[in-house]
Amino acid sequence: MRAFTINKYKAPLREANIQEPTVGERDVLVQILAAGVNQLDEKIRDGEFKTILPYKTPLTLGHDVAGTVLSVGSQVRGFKAGDTVFARPRDHRIGTFAERIAIDEADVALAPTTIDAIEAASLPLVALTAWQALVVRGNVQPGQKVLIHAGAGGVGSITIQLAKHLGAHVATTSSAKNADFVRGLGADDVIDYRTQDFEKELSGYDLVLDSLGGENLEKSLRILRPGGKAIGISGPPDPDFARKAGMNPVLRLAITALSAKIRKQAKKLGVSYEFLFMDSSGDQLREIAALVDSGVLRPVVGKTFPFEQAPQALEALAKGGIRGKAVITGA
């Protein structure tokens, strides 16, 4: 079948003919109708995550999918041929830039019924990230103050909507041209990152979701109230992540060192820092699908690309400037 793969880290995405997926007893075989494109795809291609998430090459990229179930494994009870589903396949089983993929049923959910496959494919990774940051890790309550960086992007555009649904006061950073757009998603305060310093504008926040890292993350710690929390999705990884990933002692020490500076700064300020590398979850996707169908969450698809232009889709995302998500339509 057709797929887009890399032969080594930093190599360009190329079309290739690869073997059909092997369908295990708990797997769902999906004909791919659309695949979302994520910054994680580019980070993996570029080798940025090879220490914490090593892959063998050749590797088919792609972490988001919406499609039609072709067949199911012998132990699968929740899905049948013909179902329309969406998923974020678990790590080491990615590969949605292809015609078909076999996914563990635990990672799959029936797609929302009020949106099309392109919109559904835009959701899994970013919506799961938002859910795990705000609901699982952040336990956001009505009236709390939440700052979401890069509000017009894929993660930001969904996280703003979810935070507002949870009753939070929402601030975000964006360019001036996207200010009305993010306000339309639910942002109460919009900081133009080109002309304003969010550290001087905001204070007393309960939670920050940081997708940029570096100096931006350090400044984010300083706008938190005592006991507040910064959650980083671009790093640096922390000791809890290393333990959960089952890394060997040497690698765990190295990971601990990567985040030592930011964790020390957080402790000194009386706040905390956590690294979030989202987990696949069909159960959480079912919750998200219900929010979509009830009108609480709306997908934001900024640009679509035909299947044969998968490399251009990844390049466009890496350059930035796309509102919401880029999505590749099926082969």
Side-chain angles (χ1 to χ4, degrees), residues 112-128:
T113 59
T114 55
I115 58 175
D116 61 24
I118 290 173
E119 292 172 309
S122 75
L123 285 171
L125 186 144
V126 296
L128 286 169

Side-chain angles (χ1 to χ4, degrees), residues 7 36 218 238 290 316:
N7 291 322
E218 293 180 18
D238 61 10

Side-chain angles (χ1 to χ4, degrees), residues 23-264:
V23 182
E25 62 182 15
R26 297 189 181 279
D27 288 348
V28 176
L29 180 64
V30 177
Q31 179 72 40
I32 297 170
L33 298 176
V37 186
N38 293 283
Q39 295 292 347
L40 181 57
D41 296 304
E42 176 60 18
K43 289 176 184 290
I44 288 175
R45 187 202 67 81
D46 197 42
E48 187 175 332
F49 279 178
K50 64 183 178 182
T51 301
I52 63 174
L53 190 60
Y55 278 104
K56 293 179 180 178
T57 53
L59 171 67
T60 303
L61 290 176
H63 291 78
D64 277 330
V65 62
T68 306
V69 176
L70 295 174
S71 64
V72 300
S74 60
Q75 298 298 312
V76 173
R77 299 291 180 265
F79 303 95
K80 63 183 186 306
D83 284 344
T84 302
V85 297
F86 71 149
R88 191 291 207 193
R90 63 189 55 186
D91 296 328
H92 301 292
R93 294 197 61 179
I94 65 169
T96 64
F97 297 171
E99 293 182 290
R100 288 168 290 282
I101 187 171
I103 312 169
D104 190 299
E105 69 166 330
D107 302 341
V108 182
L110 293 175
T113 59
T114 55
I115 58 175
D116 61 24
I118 290 173
E119 292 172 309
S122 75
L123 285 171
L125 186 144
V126 296
L128 286 169
T129 299
W131 185 273
Q132 290 166 25
L134 300 183
V135 178
V136 179
R137 299 282 193 96
N139 189 29
V140 171
Q141 300 297 311
Q144 289 190 322
K145 296 165 69 175
V146 176
L147 169 61
I148 298 157
H149 285 292
V155 172
S157 59
I158 293 297
T159 310
I160 289 172
Q161 296 178 66
L162 182 57
K164 200 65 185 172
H165 169 66
L166 294 171
H169 178 94
V170 182
T172 192
T173 54
S174 80
S175 63
K177 71 176 182 179
N178 283 324
D180 289 340
F181 168 68
V182 294
R183 284 194 184 97
L185 296 174
D188 298 292
D189 297 320
V190 181
I191 308 300
D192 180 355
Y193 68 85
R194 289 193 174 99
T195 62
Q196 294 175 282
D197 183 348
F198 73 88
E199 185 184 358
K200 294 178 180 176
E201 302 287 340
L202 306 174
S203 63
Y205 273 66
D206 297 277
L207 183 72
V208 177
L209 181 61
D210 176 70
S211 54
L212 303 171
E215 183 185 3
N216 197 79
L217 176 57
E218 293 180 18
K219 291 168 67 173
S220 295
L221 296 178
R222 297 194 287 270
I223 65 105
L224 290 167
R225 64 161 177 80
K229 181 184 295 185
I231 296 176
I233 58 174
S234 67
D238 61 10
D240 284 343
F241 168 78
R243 280 193 295 272
K244 182 180 175 184
M247 295 178 177
N248 65 55
V250 173
L251 199 49
R252 281 168 62 171
L253 280 173
I255 294 295
T256 298
L258 285 176
S259 60
K261 178 184 175 184
I262 198 72
R263 287 184 292 110
K264 184 178 180 181

Side-chain angles (χ1 to χ4, degrees), residues 280-312:
S280 302
S281 172
D283 287 340
Q284 291 175 10
L285 283 177
R286 279 184 274 280
E287 301 255 20
I288 289 159
L291 292 178
V292 173
D293 284 338
S294 65
V296 170
L297 295 181
R298 63 179 177 90
V300 180
V301 178
K303 195 166 185 181
T304 60
F305 295 81
F307 183 74
E308 50 273 8
Q309 289 184 14
Q312 290 92 324

Side-chain angles (χ1 to χ4, degrees), residues 39 42 312-322:
Q39 295 292 347
E42 176 60 18
Q312 290 92 324
L314 197 60
E315 289 169 9
L317 187 72
K319 288 177 183 175
I322 295 176

